[in-house]
Amino acid sequence: MTRLLKLFVLLGLLLAPSQAAAQGAGVQRTERIAAELVSLSQWAAPGSTAIVAVRQDIEPDWHTYWRNPGDSGGPTALTWTLPGDVEAGEIVWPLPRRQRLNTLMNYGYSGEVYLPVPIAVPADAQPGSTLPLRVKALFFVCSAEMCVPEELTLSLDLPVRAGAAPLDPRHGAAIQRIVETAPRATDIAARITLRDGVATLTATGGPLAGADPGPSYFFPFEPRMIDHAAPQSGRYGPQGLTLALTPGADLAAAQGPIRGVLSTGLGAFEISAEAGPALAGAEGSGDLAPAPEDGPPETAGSASTAGFLQAALFALLGGLILNLMPCVFPILAMKAAALAGAAHDAPRARRDGLAFLAGVLTTFLLLAGVLLALRAAGQAAGWGFQLQTPAMTAGLALLMLAVGLNLSGVFHIGSGLQGVGSGPLSRLGGGAGAFLTGGLAVVVAAPCTAPFMAVALGAALLMPWPMALVVFLMLGLGLALPYVLVSVTPGLLSRLPRPGLWMERLRGVLAFPMYATALWLAWVFSRQAGGDALGLLFITGLLLALAVWLLGLAQAERALGRRGRLAATAGFMALALAAAGLVMTARLPSVPAAATAPEAAGGPAAAPWSPQAVEAALAEGRPVLVNFTADWCVTCKINEAGALKSARTVEAFRAANAVYLVGDWTSRDDAITAELARHGRSGVPLYLLYAPGTPQPRILPQLLTEGLVIEALEEAGA
């Protein structure tokens, strides 16, 4: 019995430290990273400085970033919520790894990494109490193909006890090793000299004196001070070393010293380099060995190439599927008419097919260039950005009206009445008409995001611009490929009927998809700019119709050998008034987003999306379905009408006690753009289903069915 009592006492003594040790809320996870807040020691003493750390466990092929991320990405940011007089210091950044991606060089971490942070414990902290530490950590988690901002809330309950605390048995040794080996300030003197396009960094004294520094590399604290991807060559002398750096865009205008970390074979040291002449004794003993990168460039390049090839393939498949999306139905009608008109004229069919391909690729190239330029300038833009501007929407509505009137025979472009009967696209000027049709196809296809296409574009926007442009061109090739294949295949063309009176009737029928598109764009414009602006757009459209009718009369007069000056003059005057109307329409202020929030008439009760709304609903234990949509997105509207607003879906929302949130991207919204990018998307639709207790949402397909939505809601509710 005595032995048994002693055994229980011994077990109690062994367990006591662990019961008083720091307790975290557990690991928080996403698909790409797991993180937790951990402690160096088992407890903190009053008046001491405790060390805690944000531990990251990063999935293979992904990485996070140092304080200076290099050429892309962003540093980990911590926002603390602390009790009383407790204060958190700055992150103790471990030495980063150099991560090359093609022509870019990033500084960051992969695998497991600890970011230590000192915590000042007040002297009046009571032993036996607990300090609840909370931090919201924002990680930029990136691969060779994409970057995803991940925000996790971490917590740790740190006990307060008197006396020195032993290391935490799980994480203490690893954190201590990071703290001991992290770059530290020394008495090293440093100067930087900018001359003839080369920045010469000299560093002498301290641990560098009298030793071969070995492989050396300078990591600046601020981006754009040096060309991160350029090699750093150097020499060493009896007192220190010299590094030749390629200056960055901001170095010449920098105010004050250039601060950073000098990594050497002797250790890593924080230095502050003042502008001035080179220091003596920093060369003359030999050349420095080059600092190795973490993984050869070929490995990063091959991974990037694989991601690029996958994105290009997905873009091609997405472009092919885009032909089946409702956005391009009107253009498909025009393409079908052009094929019928040239079915038995092989040279003309080949010419039109190649001209259509050129129009598609050129327009995709222009849109991609503008989109990439906007994002490079710091703008939050995504696929379909051109339709987020009311002026552009109004202009496209008028253009579709003009195309419809052209197909109805009201006026002609590129041919006189002699061209009647040769097919509707002859009214657009043969090869020029096919080129213009290709451009129209791209512009009208912008509201749609086909399967495969979303992943491809999301990856492309994070690639170097030459690779991104190739992905966009592959998307255009997929869109144009069916038409081009038919146009260059005589066997397929021969199956189409010969031109005749039926083509005149077909031409008139094909005008109505254009009118429908014009009306739809006018409705989108009304949602963006309001009723008064819509009235002005209607007047502008009426003036445009009058102008082209008068110009059509002038064309008919000239075909009969008359001058037709009166009709032409009146037509150009009406066209000038229509242009003035469009300018006035463009200058009207947009309606605030709240006034254009999507209505849930006939569907589940909807509320505007925000991260706070998602968190509040999940805190109540309710599933959340988020619908990122836009009024100009035809696919979105079809999904809403057929799958999200049916009676059975409404009942499924009620049974699951689910919350329905709508993110309206009709007009520009940077918060929604960032959320789309967070999930690897550059456009709408995007459907996210959150379940209570699950940190990451389920991404639903872009083409929804009623059964799919109901099943997903039932699973989330369960």
Side-chain angles (χ1 to χ4, degrees):
M1 185 69 180
T2 304
R3 289 182 178 180
L4 184 61
L5 179 61
K6 290 181 179 179
L7 179 60
F8 278 119
V9 171
L10 179 60
L11 287 174
L13 292 174
L14 291 174
L15 290 175
S18 63
Q19 292 170 347
Q23 298 292 321
V27 179
Q28 304 298 308
R29 299 181 182 275
T30 71
E31 296 177 6
R32 290 154 288 269
I33 188 173
E36 60 181 327
L37 189 61
V38 297
S39 176
L40 170 71
S41 306
Q42 293 187 23
W43 65 78
S48 68
T49 298
I51 301 293
V52 299
V54 175
R55 174 184 171 272
Q56 306 171 48
D57 188 0
I58 308 164
E59 289 295 312
D61 300 323
W62 295 84
H63 56 268
T64 58
Y65 292 93
W66 187 55
R67 59 186 296 174
N68 171 11
D71 291 326
S72 63
T76 297
L78 304 180
T79 304
W80 291 91
T81 301
L82 302 172
D85 296 329
V86 177
E87 295 182 358
E90 298 296 325
I91 296 174
V92 179
W93 294 95
L95 188 69
R97 297 179 177 179
R98 298 162 60 202
Q99 301 160 334
R100 182 178 292 275
L101 176 61
N102 295 315
T103 60
L104 305 179
M105 176 68 77
N106 296 328
Y107 303 146
Y109 311 102
S110 57
E112 184 182 52
V113 61
Y114 292 84
L115 298 183
V117 177
I119 301 292
V121 181
D124 58 357
Q126 294 298 316
S129 64
T130 299
L131 300 177
L133 311 179
R134 304 291 182 267
V135 63
K136 184 175 290 186
L138 176 62
F139 307 100
F140 284 87
V141 191
C142 299
S143 69
E145 290 82 32
M146 66 175 64
C147 279
V148 182
E150 303 275 23
E151 188 175 79
L152 296 175
T153 299
L154 313 175
S155 62
L156 176 72
D157 292 330
L158 185 62
V160 177
R161 294 183 60 182
L167 293 179
D168 179 86
R170 290 186 58 200
H171 306 287
I175 299 174
Q176 186 177 48
R177 185 165 55 252
I178 294 295
V179 172
E180 291 175 350
T181 59
R184 59 191 183 276
T186 64
D187 55 352
I188 294 176
R191 297 289 185 274
I192 190 163
T193 306
L194 183 59
R195 181 179 300 169
D196 299 329
V198 177
T200 302
L201 174 70
T202 54
T204 60
L208 300 179
D212 179 356
S216 301
Y217 189 90
F218 178 63
F219 296 89
F221 284 159
E222 298 297 329
R224 298 168 61 88
M225 290 297 166
I226 67 170
D227 183 345
H228 305 108
Q232 298 184 10
S233 60
R235 303 171 299 280
Y236 72 98
Q239 295 299 319
L241 60 83
T242 299
L243 284 176
L245 313 176
T246 302
D250 293 348
L251 181 60
Q255 301 292 325
I258 307 303
R259 301 177 60 245
V261 170
L262 180 62
S263 172
T264 72
L266 304 172
F269 313 102
E270 291 188 4
I271 63 172
S272 179
E274 300 280 354
L279 297 172
E283 56 184 347
S285 299
D287 294 334
L288 291 173
E293 296 177 8
D294 295 288
E298 292 78 14
T299 301
S302 61
S304 175
T305 300
F308 164 67
L309 293 176
Q310 182 188 55
L313 176 61
F314 280 9
L316 180 64
L317 294 174
L320 287 169
I321 298 173
L322 197 58
N323 283 280
L324 305 177
M325 305 298 284
C327 301
V328 295
F329 283 169
I331 302 302
L332 282 175
M334 295 178 67
K335 289 159 66 177
L339 282 175
H344 301 278
D345 186 352
R348 176 185 163 199
R350 285 194 298 270
R351 179 202 66 191
D352 287 354
L354 295 177
F356 178 80
L357 174 63
V360 169
L361 296 182
T362 300
T363 309
F364 259 113
L365 200 61
L366 290 174
L367 280 179
V370 173
L371 177 56
L372 294 173
L374 289 174
R375 292 178 69 89
Q379 298 293 316
W383 179 247
F385 70 97
Q386 67 273 28
L387 289 171
Q388 294 179 323
T389 305
M392 181 63 72
T393 307
L396 288 175
L398 296 175
L399 177 61
M400 294 302 157
L401 173 62
V403 172
L405 293 171
N406 175 264
L407 292 174
S408 293
V410 174
F411 74 109
H412 317 295
I413 298 177
S415 65
L417 290 182
Q418 297 88 345
V420 175
S422 60
L425 283 186
S426 68
R427 298 177 183 271
L428 294 175
F435 184 91
L436 177 59
T437 306
L440 284 175
V442 176
V443 173
V444 177
C448 282
T449 305
F452 297 105
M453 177 179 159
V455 176
L457 293 186
L461 293 179
L462 296 166
M463 293 179 179
W465 68 265
M467 301 172 74
L469 291 180
V470 171
V471 173
F472 275 92
L473 289 177
M474 291 297 288
L475 180 61
L477 178 61
L479 177 64
L481 194 57
Y483 178 81
V484 174
L485 289 178
V486 173
S487 67
V488 299
T489 308
L492 295 175
L493 287 172
S494 63
R495 297 176 181 271
L496 297 175
R498 290 186 177 277
L501 181 60
W502 69 272
M503 291 196 60
E504 284 294 308
R505 295 174 179 172
L506 177 62
R507 183 193 67 219
V509 171
L510 293 181
F512 287 93
M514 298 293 104
Y515 296 139
T517 304
L519 289 173
W520 162 63
L521 288 170
W523 173 76
V524 173
F525 175 76
S526 72
R527 300 279 290 174
Q528 294 174 324
D532 292 342
L534 179 63
L536 184 56
L537 178 63
F538 283 161
I539 295 173
T540 304
L542 181 63
L543 289 170
L544 175 64
L546 175 62
V548 298
W549 177 73
L550 289 169
L551 293 174
L553 285 181
Q555 289 175 330
E557 290 285 325
R558 287 195 296 271
L560 296 175
R562 303 168 186 167
R563 294 184 177 181
R565 289 182 177 177
L566 180 61
T569 301
F572 282 116
M573 291 178 61
L575 193 61
L577 290 174
L582 179 60
V583 172
M584 293 175 62
T585 303
R587 298 183 65 180
L588 289 175
S590 299
V591 173
T596 61
E599 299 175 1
W609 167 84
S610 69
Q612 294 77 18
V614 174
E615 293 179 2
L618 292 176
E620 297 175 358
R622 304 178 66 183
V624 182
L625 177 61
V626 182
N627 172 17
F628 290 105
T629 182
D631 289 334
W632 42 259
C633 173
V634 179
T635 308
C636 303
K637 296 306 172 186
I638 291 177
N639 284 337
E640 290 165 13
L644 294 175
K645 294 186 178 181
S646 69
R648 292 184 60 210
T649 303
V650 173
E651 180 58 34
F653 268 97
R654 188 177 298 111
N657 193 28
V659 175
Y660 181 47
L661 301 179
V662 176
D664 186 2
W665 209 44
T666 301
S667 298
R668 174 174 168 174
D669 188 311
D670 291 350
I672 293 178
T673 305
E675 188 69 9
L676 293 173
R678 183 171 179 263
H679 297 283
R681 298 293 188 267
S682 66
V684 292
L686 175 63
Y687 305 103
L688 303 178
L689 181 60
Y690 293 83
T694 303
Q696 290 300 305
R698 172 184 172 185
I699 300 179
L700 301 184
Q702 291 171 297
L703 299 178
L704 299 179
T705 64
E706 181 186 74
L708 187 150
V709 175
I710 292 173
E711 180 182 355
L713 287 171
E714 289 174 348
E715 292 177 359

